[in-house]
Each structure stands twice: as C-alpha cells, then as structure tokens.
Amino acid sequence: MKIVILGTNHAGIAAANTLLDNYENNEVVMIDRNSNMSYLGCGTAIWVGRQIEKSDELFYSNPEDFEKKGAKIMLETEVSDIDFAKKEVHATTKAGDRITESYDKLVLATGSRPIIPNIPGKELDGIHFLKLFQEGQAVDAELAKPEVKRIAVIGAGYIGTEIAEAAKRRGKEVLLFDAENTSLASYYDEDFAQKMDENLAAHGIELHFGELAKEFKGNENGRISQLVTDKATYDIDLLINCIGFTANSGLAAEHLETFRNGAILVNQHQQSSDPDVYAVGDVATIYSNALQDTTYIALASNAVRTGIVAGHNIGGTSLESPGVQGSNGISIFGYNMVSTGFSVKAAQKFGLDVAFTDFEDKQKAWFLHDDNESVKIRLVYEKSNRRLVGAQLASKSEIIAGNINMFSLAIQDKKTIDDIALLDLFFLPHFNSPYNYMTVAALSAK
C-alpha cells in the first residue's frame, strides 16, 4: 500500500513513525513545503528569550531518520491540488519540477495557520507572526537590532504571553494587548489569569487588556511605527501578532466535510468523509471528553496522538482515539499554570451547567519551610451528574505539572468530583499534606 503524508511536523511524523515501525511492505511518501521537519514551535520563545542558546535543539527528527526506515522525503515541495477521484497529489519541487504522487491512503497533516487581522496597515514591514521556524528566526533577528526598543504583542494567549516574556528577557520594552480582560482567557478563569497578569506586570510588561487593535501605521520607509487601538495610539518599533490559529485545510475543504472553522471532520479513527483520506493534528477536528462532542483544539500533544491513531488504522489495526481534554500549561518568569478540560467560563460558553470548588494551600506539609510554595486549585464539575469537566492549578512549584495529568485521566474516564474526594492519594511531608489540597478542593464541593 502507498501512503502519502502531507505535512512533516508532529502529526505527520507520528503517523509516519507508526506506519514505518509497525507495518511492513508499505510505501510511505512525506511531502512538506517547508525546508525542515519536527520543529517544536512551543519552544520558540524559550530560544528567542535565550533560555537556551541553540535553535537546533528544537528539532527532534530529520529526513535521514525516515529515509533509513525506507520513507521518501520531499521537502520544499509545494502541493498545488489533490485529485481525490484519481487519488493523486500534484506538487512543485524547489527546482520547479511538476510532480504527481498517486496514493492508496492519504494523510492530511497540514497543520494550522496564523489568523491575520484584516485591519489597515497589515502589509507593513516589521509585523511578524509565530508559527514556523523561519518566523521565529525573523523575530529573533529583529530583537537583535538595537534600534528595535519598543515591541507590541497582540494576543495574550500562550504564544503571545511567552514571546512577551522572551522579548523582555532580551531587554526590550514590551506592550501586551488582548481584547479579553486578562491574559490566557481561553484556558483559565479570570481570578486565575489575574495572578499571571500580576506576574507579568511585576516583571515590567505593560498590559493593555480589553483593548482592540484598529490600525497599523508606518513611517516613510514602510515599516510599522504606530499601533492604533480603540483606546489610544502607541509608538512601537516591532509588532508580533499572536491572535490565534485556524485549520490549514484549503487543499481539501471543498472535497471533505468540514467543521465550522474549516477543520476536516474526522471520526475516532481519524478518517475523513473520504474513507481513503485521514486527517491528523491541527487540520482536523478532535473529540473532547469534557464536552462529550466534536470540537477543535490545536495542541502539539493532540497532534502526536492523532498521528499515532491514524497510522495504526491505516496499517490495519482498528484503533479508536479515546478523545482529549485539551491539557496544557505555561511557565512565565517562574510562575506555572496548568489546566485540563474546561474553565467555568468555557464550560458555560458551550452550554454546560457547572459549579466549581477552589482551594489554596502549601505544596508540602506545613512544617517544611524551604521551597514550599502555595498552590491554587479549581475543580469544575457539572451540577446535574457531578462529572468533572475541568481543573486549573497555579503555583511557583513545578510539581503541579504532573498533577494535571491525573485530572485529565479523570475527565477522560468520566469521574465525578466525589470520586476525586475519595481518591487514594499518597502522603509524604516532602510532597504534600495529609489533607492533600486536591482532596480538600473536592471535599469542599457542595
């Protein structure tokens, strides 16, 4: 069987590895318009902020790895169209040669693309996005210029908040904008997000929340010099857009059934409405266990899982995705936040009638004073059946990163807030208290 995979980042790589490592006698062709593969975009800000020195550490695979396994790799190759009736992919190589690749099964792993705000001045020089490695390189080069002193970041989600930190670490004056009233509004309720806002402000980042960009103005050289919002005008030397992503599904949207945002609709085998076409990663929908329905969640972890599921199903092993919770996390200037499932705000947006319970305590036993940080926790559950649908934790302690995985599994397995209250959590003073803050939070539920 010949399998053509379009896209060689997390989802495409996971699908290819699954096929090549577990199923013999298949021909695997991997095509990507980019010049590299396996870039960890979530590490861009870590490198740009010089928390690591070498950008090449953000790549975890290369073409040679796949060629040794027998795959055919075609980078810097632009796919122009797909003939689904003939089962052919048409593309152009870097050298300008037109090629056609036939397939028995096609895997769409084309990812997502940045949302470009359609406002005046969007074509000016000095406006950047963050998705590809080359875009990270461009921002890094800008931050190296001494004349670039004042930077505006639009969008205070994960990427925007992280690049704001990175620019500040490079000694720049940073203004962070968002239409919402707090940072990280898609993942955390306001009283959680406000703690991050305080952290950002304490480290010198100028916050402009509840503020909407209206226009970009440039100087006589065609480079951005001002950002105009609905509240004021700001002089800037560089602008970084981080307002979100949407599915990069243009090659197949007219042929396949799509979600409301254009993502390819797939079943729990990652199969699209065309049985010979699979879609994985950011280009595809995903099943949310918190919502108990199909949705869209663009995360690298989801991309890997969906690639694995598609690879096994194509290879001949029937495997259903167990769904996801959208588990995620962020660490800014040493303050850590993790979440899974829905915040109260998100749950209500999707029509769930929820309650929540909060608690705050030290991570370790009260009599240990060194490195014993406070942890804030919120558990969100449905009122009718008490099913857990979300959890949020925030602390300077990194231990919370592991705890969120337990809540992710609890949501996946439809556990209730009462199941959490009586869960067998171990106790050792070096790690927690006899009344663990997770237990107390659940016990406090009405």
Side-chain angles (χ1 to χ4, degrees), residues 135-380:
E135 292 166 334
Q137 286 179 306
V139 169
D140 182 63
E142 292 273 18
L143 295 183
K145 298 175 181 177
E147 66 270 22
V148 175
K149 297 181 173 67
R150 188 170 160 91
I151 297 165
V153 178
I154 298 181
Y158 277 161
I159 295 176
T161 303
E162 289 169 345
I163 202 63
E165 177 196 24
K168 193 65 185 177
R169 287 179 180 272
R170 293 284 289 272
K172 306 299 181 179
E173 185 179 352
V174 182
L175 290 71
L176 181 60
F177 294 83
D178 201 285
E180 296 283 353
N181 293 323
T182 66
S183 63
L184 311 176
S186 296
Y187 306 98
Y188 302 92
D189 290 313
E190 282 201 7
D191 43 357
F192 262 74
Q194 284 167 356
K195 294 288 186 180
M196 180 59 79
D197 298 347
E198 293 169 8
N199 178 48
L200 291 165
H203 285 87
I205 293 177
E206 189 177 309
L207 304 180
H208 295 272
F209 296 149
E211 199 162 345
L212 193 63
K214 305 295 287 186
E215 184 181 2
F216 306 139
K217 290 185 177 181
N219 58 25
E220 64 277 3
N221 297 318
R223 183 179 174 88
I224 190 165
S225 59
Q226 288 185 323
L227 166 63
V228 181
T229 74
D230 56 355
K231 292 185 178 179
T233 298
Y234 304 90
D235 293 331
I236 58 172
D237 303 309
L238 177 72
L239 185 137
I240 305 173
N241 266 311
C242 304
I243 62 174
F245 298 94
T246 190
N248 185 29
S249 59
L251 285 170
E254 292 186 5
H255 174 71
L256 304 176
E257 291 183 20
T258 58
F259 196 54
R260 55 179 173 265
N261 71 331
I264 305 302
L265 271 170
V266 295
N267 60 22
Q268 288 185 268
H269 298 273
Q270 299 303 134
Q271 197 172 33
S272 74
S273 55
D274 182 331
D276 292 321
V277 179
Y278 291 73
V280 294
D282 290 2
V283 76
T285 57
I286 204 155
Y287 186 83
S288 163
N289 289 313
L291 183 62
Q292 295 285 288
D293 202 355
T294 297
T295 189
Y296 181 76
I297 306 173
L299 288 170
S301 51
N302 292 348
V304 172
R305 275 189 294 275
T306 57
I308 292 170
V309 170
H312 279 299
N313 281 290
I314 293 169
T317 302
S318 181
L319 178 66
E320 282 195 1
S321 167
V324 303
Q325 291 66 251
S327 305
N328 57 84
I330 191 169
S331 181
I332 300 292
F333 296 119
Y335 188 67
N336 310 300
M337 296 177 70
V338 291
S339 76
T340 189
F342 287 146
S343 65
V344 174
K345 180 180 177 181
Q348 292 170 343
K349 175 184 174 183
F350 284 101
L352 299 181
D353 186 18
V354 297
F356 68 92
T357 175
D358 287 347
F359 189 65
E360 187 166 358
D361 198 5
K362 294 290 187 180
Q363 173 67 51
K364 303 175 184 178
W366 62 92
F367 49 81
L368 295 177
H369 303 292
D370 293 337
D371 191 30
N372 194 4
E373 302 290 350
S374 291
V375 180
K376 182 178 174 68
I377 183 171
R378 169 169 291 183
L379 302 179
V380 184

